[in-house]
Amino acid sequence: MRSARLILASALFALMAGAALAQPAPRAVGPTIADVGSAYYRFEQVSVTSADGARVYRVQIGVPRKAPGQGGYPVAYLLDGDAAMARLDETLLGQLNTGDPPVIVAVGYQGDRQFDVLARAYDYTPPAQDGAYLVDAAGRPGGGADAFLTLLHDQIAPEVTARVRIDPARSLLWGHSYGGLCVLHAALTRPDAYGRFVSVSPSLWWNYGSVLAEVDPFLSRPHPAALSLTLLVGEEEVAGRGGRTRTNPMWSSVPSGATRDLAQRLHAAGVDVRFAEIPGQGHGGMLSASLIPTLLSFAGVAPAPGDVFS
């Protein structure tokens, strides 16, 4: 039986008190490590436009200065890329450099904010199976995850591989909140697209828990032997604290322990799934509390994680 693993780190980011569901605090994009430069990574930036022309993605590609192994570099795709880049610093990149540093692909949006709340609400939420028009609890249109994942695979990934030698067997997709929902949807519907999926505080309540209906079809099909899914939540958000409210009927449609229940179900079915509740973390804090150790673990320099399933 595969064991679940625990990933720990301190939080650097929190939501504004009373923020709307899955709506991060409106922080401005400021100078990042890509702007000031690094001894360990060089950075490039490309722009990609959505198929409908409504969104322009700011894709920042961090390439290790350290030479790759024989098969090429591992690659980590990060959703909410502008917020992710704001949390990378020279200390972290130096730690990655001591191991097998991955190419970092931070996928954000053009503009002056770390989070484009309208764009991410559309891109990171799965479509309705019946084709119905979807909005979230704040009235933002959703349902564009399949189109976004196709763009990520068919347009953004080729931009990366054209610039640097990538090991296709070592890829990771990370996302938080709505991004975590998108990662989970990808794992259940496109399990061969990436080797590792890291879904952090996924918004399972989206469309009254419709993503959970994807589990049975996923389990009915063979899944790649190399598939690895990590599900992480904050202890405070599970307890109903940490800046979230359960008064909205869409949010309250899924129990607070649904992510753990999902992990246990997948684990029992033989899926390589890791689950952890991070002590002391609320929903917003899970962005930093997951991102840094995810990258360290992917580079092979994180300490051995602990078991959380008996």
Side-chain angles (χ1 to χ4, degrees):
M1 179 179 293
R2 298 183 177 95
S3 62
R5 312 287 171 91
L6 177 64
I7 299 176
L8 295 172
S10 60
L12 301 176
F13 175 78
L15 286 177
M16 259 195 305
L21 298 176
Q23 178 171 331
R27 294 190 176 190
V29 171
T32 68
I33 190 66
D35 301 305
V36 302
S38 167
Y40 306 105
Y41 273 71
R42 61 178 175 85
F43 290 88
E44 303 179 18
Q45 182 172 307
V46 297
S47 295
V48 177
T49 302
S50 62
D52 60 6
R55 293 163 302 286
V56 180
Y57 303 92
R58 175 166 43 219
V59 182
Q60 300 182 73
I61 305 169
V63 181
R65 298 188 187 277
K66 184 177 182 179
Q70 184 174 1
Y73 290 109
V75 58
Y77 293 92
L78 311 179
L79 306 189
D80 284 322
D82 296 306
M85 285 298 300
R87 285 148 183 85
L88 306 184
D89 59 23
E90 188 73 343
T91 298
L92 173 62
L93 298 186
Q95 290 175 301
L96 296 177
N97 189 67
T98 65
D100 190 3
V103 170
I104 297 171
V105 184
V107 184
Y109 299 93
Q110 282 193 350
D112 61 357
R113 297 291 181 178
Q114 290 184 18
F115 299 96
D116 184 327
V117 295
L118 289 176
R120 72 191 295 274
Y122 182 77
D123 279 340
Y124 296 167
T125 54
Q129 297 303 309
D130 61 1
Y133 179 75
L134 295 173
V135 296
D136 68 4
R140 297 179 293 249
D146 284 341
F148 171 74
L149 290 169
T150 296
L151 177 141
L152 184 62
H153 185 272
D154 293 352
Q155 290 185 244
I156 294 178
E159 289 281 354
V160 177
T161 56
R163 288 166 168 77
V164 61
R165 187 158 57 93
I166 297 296
D167 181 353
R170 296 188 295 160
S171 60
L172 176 147
L173 180 64
W174 171 94
H176 165 260
S177 192
Y178 270 0
L181 174 65
C182 185
V183 171
L184 176 60
H185 172 66
L188 295 175
T189 60
R190 307 178 185 214
D192 57 348
Y194 306 92
R196 298 190 191 184
F197 298 82
V198 182
S199 172
V200 183
S201 301
S203 301
L204 299 185
W205 52 266
W206 163 256
N207 193 26
Y208 300 94
S210 63
V211 71
L212 298 176
E214 297 173 354
V215 176
D216 282 339
F218 167 77
L219 292 177
S220 70
R221 302 184 299 266
H223 55 266
L227 171 67
S228 173
L229 171 63
T230 298
L231 292 165
L232 301 174
V233 294
E235 180 184 49
E236 293 295 302
E237 61 180 324
V238 174
R241 300 186 293 271
R244 304 304 295 269
T245 172
R246 303 189 66 80
T247 57
N248 184 277
M250 188 181 289
W251 169 243
S252 60
S253 65
V254 175
S256 60
T259 306
R260 171 183 277 274
D261 294 343
L262 172 61
Q264 290 176 328
R265 182 181 177 192
L266 294 173
H267 179 70
V271 178
D272 181 9
V273 60
R274 299 163 173 86
F275 173 81
E277 292 179 10
I278 307 303
Q281 296 300 330
H283 184 80
M286 284 299 296
L287 192 155
S288 293
S290 66
L291 175 60
I292 294 171
T294 291
L295 291 174
L296 291 173
S297 175
F298 194 41
V301 298
D307 294 338
V308 294
F309 285 147
S310 58

